[in-house]
Amino acid sequence: MTWHVRPFRRDDTDGVIALWAEAGLTRPWNDPRLDIERKLSVQPELFLVVEDPSMPGVPVGSVMAGYDGHRGWLYYLATAVSHRGRGVARALVHDAEARLLDMGCPKVQLMVREGNEGVLGFYDSLGYERFAVANTGKRLIADA
């Protein structure tokens, strides 16, 4: 099946948050509604969803992408459990990559939590290269 990837719409909010929760992407220290609002204020055209035509209005996949002028990033890639293995995530990644390329983005990266070998295997199949780095971060605005 060919999936139709489209930009996020505000009426997707509850469905996308439910999708992220089902996929295990939400964390207590990140308010998903605030993450959505923040994304809608910066490159909203890079916040993408897929819905199954047989389930109008129900997102079955999502990805957030961003481009900082040096590299692109992918975040919040999620596929509903009911739709895994059907090409939803692949369609989202390909669409996000195409949009980033159109912006002149020369490379794209993402982070995968340690131990998530299934997800790493998925990205391997898309030609992503694993490399060892130490990630550091600092919260500037507390969500909770």
Side-chain angles (χ1 to χ4, degrees):
M1 176 174 200
T2 301
W3 297 102
H4 173 69
V5 178
R6 64 165 173 79
F8 173 90
R9 298 185 306 241
R10 285 199 179 274
D11 64 345
D12 294 320
T13 299
D14 290 338
V16 165
I17 291 171
L19 176 66
W20 292 349
E22 178 186 49
L25 297 178
T26 57
R27 295 294 184 259
W29 53 86
N30 284 345
D31 181 330
R33 289 185 188 282
L34 289 176
D35 284 351
I36 288 170
E37 288 305 314
R38 290 174 180 134
K39 182 60 193 164
L40 293 178
S41 72
V42 179
Q43 299 174 325
E45 69 278 11
L46 296 179
F47 187 4
L48 307 171
V49 299
V50 166
E51 63 182 55
D52 186 326
S54 69
M55 303 164 49
V58 179
V60 296
S62 77
V63 70
M64 280 186 186
Y67 178 46
D68 61 17
H70 177 61
R71 68 174 54 101
W73 287 91
L74 299 181
Y75 303 93
Y76 279 120
L77 178 66
T79 301
V81 171
S82 61
H83 285 69
R84 290 190 184 156
R86 296 172 55 187
V88 172
R90 186 174 298 274
L92 283 160
V93 170
H94 285 309
D95 195 284
E97 289 173 346
R99 290 171 191 249
L100 290 166
L101 188 59
D102 286 346
M103 297 171 81
C105 178
K107 60 183 173 179
V108 63
Q109 291 182 194
L110 54 98
M111 294 179 280
V112 176
R113 289 190 177 96
E114 279 189 45
N116 200 339
E117 289 301 316
V119 168
L120 287 170
F122 166 75
Y123 285 111
D124 291 344
S125 75
L126 294 179
Y128 280 70
E129 178 184 350
R130 296 186 196 195
F131 48 89
V133 297
N135 289 310
T136 65
K138 179 181 179 182
R139 183 161 282 287
L140 301 175
I141 299 172
D143 286 358

